[in-house]
């Protein structure tokens, strides 16, 4: 007979890998979130800032209040490269670039969140912060996989956010914006949004883009096909489905 106190029905023991980290490859106000792929040992912490409030009533014992909390984390990430360009995955390129820079160029905008293998994600176990970046190539042997050690140190107050994780299933693409605000036939435009990886088409009404390139999960560069001036519905097609139409005004 077990002496263990039973758990409530419908509970499950969490796993160490059930966390996600995204790097913003866009702007603060119009983020383009790219998941950091192939990470391990993700260890978020919330360092405290304290202030002494000791008085005679404490009889010489320490008495400090927590006046603030920051964010910091460390993790490892695999160095996956493109065979055609030699570049790392875009999120790792951003991490390495920040780790080599100074000033604002050494800062990234990141978000982290509970990402369970099964069941519902914790609704508030998530945050967003500006961070300083320190990165080093971890492997030192003669035949090891390329792995980087990364440390992120928060700048200022981190923001508690609603958990953005919606599940492991392939999700429908979403267009949140298109720049520049107006363009014509043959011009290059950039679509911002989410879930663009694996895109098979970018359509302007029923007409395919002249050409397009998926930059990352949140950005696509496309060439405007022939068409009339005015509003046109733009959609992105991926294995996860077709995005809702985004109205774009073209000059010609």
């Amino acid at each position: 007979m077990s002496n263990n106190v039973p758990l409530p029905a419908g509970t499950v023991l969490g796993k160490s890998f059930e966390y996600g980290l995204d790097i913003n490859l866009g702007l603060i106000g119009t983020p383009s979130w790219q998941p950091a792929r192939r990470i391990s040992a993700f260890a978020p912490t919330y360092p405290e800032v304290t202030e002494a409030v000791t008085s005679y009533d404490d009889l010489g014992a320490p008495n400090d209040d927590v006046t603030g909390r920051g964010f910091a984390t460390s993790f490892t990430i695999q160095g996956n490269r493109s065979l055609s360009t030699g570049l790392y995955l875009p999120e790792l390129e951003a991490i390495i670039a920040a780790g080599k820079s100074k000033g604002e160029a050494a800062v990234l905008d990141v978000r982290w969140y509970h990402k369970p293998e099964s069941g519902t994600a914790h609704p508030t176990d998530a945050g967003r912060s500006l961070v300083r970046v320190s990165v080093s190539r971890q492997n030192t042997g003669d035949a090891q996989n390329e792995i980087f050690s990364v440390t992120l140190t928060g700048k200022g107050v981190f923001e508690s956010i609603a958990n953005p994780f919606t599940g492991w299933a392939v999700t429908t693409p979403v267009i949140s914006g298109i720049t520049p605000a107006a363009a014509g036939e043959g011009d290059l435009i950039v679509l911002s949004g989410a879930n663009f990886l694996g895109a098979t088409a970018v359509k302007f009404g029923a007409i395919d883009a002249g050409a397009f390139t998926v930059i990352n999960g949140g950005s696509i560069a496309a060439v405007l096909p022939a068409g009339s001036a005015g509003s046109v519905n733009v959609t992105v097609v991926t294995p996860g489905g077709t995005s809702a139409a985004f109205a774009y005004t073209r000059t010609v």
Side-chain angles (χ1 to χ4, degrees):
M1 178 178 179
S2 173
N3 291 323
N4 291 334
V5 177
L7 295 170
T11 61
V12 64
L13 182 62
K15 302 293 192 297
S16 62
F17 55 79
E18 293 185 325
Y19 259 92
L21 173 72
D22 295 349
I23 311 297
N24 181 9
L25 302 181
L27 303 175
I28 295 294
T30 54
S32 174
W33 294 111
Q34 173 62 58
R37 290 162 284 188
R38 305 299 188 266
I39 68 171
S40 297
F42 181 71
T45 61
Y46 304 92
E48 64 182 24
V49 177
T50 62
E51 181 178 351
V53 292
T54 308
S55 69
Y56 290 162
D57 294 337
D58 297 306
L59 304 179
N63 184 358
D64 295 343
D65 279 348
V66 176
T67 57
R69 285 194 180 273
F71 168 75
T73 190
S74 61
F75 58 93
T76 61
I77 184 168
Q78 296 178 10
N80 291 279
R81 295 177 184 265
S82 165
L83 289 173
S84 60
T85 67
L87 296 175
Y88 294 108
L89 295 177
E91 63 272 24
L92 181 52
E93 285 287 342
I95 290 170
I96 293 173
K100 293 179 178 179
S101 301
K102 61 183 180 180
E104 290 301 314
V107 177
L108 291 179
D109 179 21
V110 303
R111 69 181 184 183
W112 61 97
Y113 47 91
H114 178 230
K115 187 176 71 172
E117 180 182 18
S118 60
T120 303
H122 191 295
T124 60
D125 189 0
R128 179 179 180 180
S129 181
L130 295 176
V131 295
R132 303 194 320 268
V133 180
S134 176
V135 59
S136 63
R137 199 165 183 264
Q138 181 186 57
N139 48 305
T140 57
D142 297 325
Q144 294 177 321
N145 292 330
E146 190 170 26
I147 296 175
F148 293 86
S149 295
V150 182
T151 299
L152 306 180
T153 304
K155 288 175 59 66
V157 179
F158 72 89
E159 177 187 1
S160 295
I161 62 173
N163 193 327
F165 182 65
T166 57
W168 289 98
V170 176
T171 51
T172 303
V174 176
I175 303 173
S176 59
I178 299 177
T179 56
E185 179 182 349
D187 289 340
L188 185 69
I189 63 172
V190 176
L191 287 67
S192 301
N195 308 321
F196 289 161
L197 295 179
T200 56
V202 177
K203 292 183 173 291
F204 295 81
I207 304 173
D208 288 338
F212 72 92
T213 300
V214 179
I215 301 171
N216 54 59
S219 300
I220 293 179
V223 176
L224 269 169
S228 303
S231 181
V232 61
N233 287 330
V234 183
T235 54
V236 173
V237 181
T238 73
T242 301
S243 69
F246 186 94
Y248 180 71
T249 301
R250 53 181 300 160
T251 57
V252 63

